[in-house]
Amino acid sequence: KEVLEFYERFIKPSPIIGYDIETFWVDRLIRCIGLSPDKHRCLVIPFVDHRRGDNSYSYWSADEELLVRQILIDVLGDPTKIKLAHNSAYDIQWLVKEGIPVRPPYDDTMLLHHSLQPELPKSLGFLGSLYTNEQAWKHLANFKQEGNKKDS
């Protein structure tokens, strides 16, 4: 319900959608995806819940996951919305493998920054410190499993 409400209220009317995935690289699973229509709002959609006792990794019931995936297909496949990511080649290959195409138009903050300042680092943490007033945030997540993605 929360994903559908956020989609209808904020994502659908927005011309630009920022997105980012986090992965369990070793298990080859997308842990979660964040969607943001603007600088004030973001929704993190989980996919994996290792705490489940039924040997299932899915956070959602089968019907819920189908609905969430369809929303992601609609959002990231929408040719009228600009999709914005950091190191999008990494995210796109994971999403496509999961049946969620990311269609143009899209921009990539890593590539845009690199075209302006090729001599500087391109990591998301570095760009965040350079272009925003936010402190480093990666350490705030509780990722206990090894093999998670590293933004280049």
Side-chain angles (χ1 to χ4, degrees), residues 24 46 48-59 142:
F24 286 121
V48 177
D49 185 354
H50 281 294
R51 298 170 297 172
R52 289 184 58 152
D54 60 0
N55 292 326
S56 168
Y57 284 127
S58 182
Y59 179 87
N142 187 14

Side-chain angles (χ1 to χ4, degrees), residues 116-127:
L116 293 172
Q117 301 288 335
E119 69 281 2
L120 293 179
K122 299 182 299 259
S123 73
L124 184 57
F126 179 78
L127 270 64

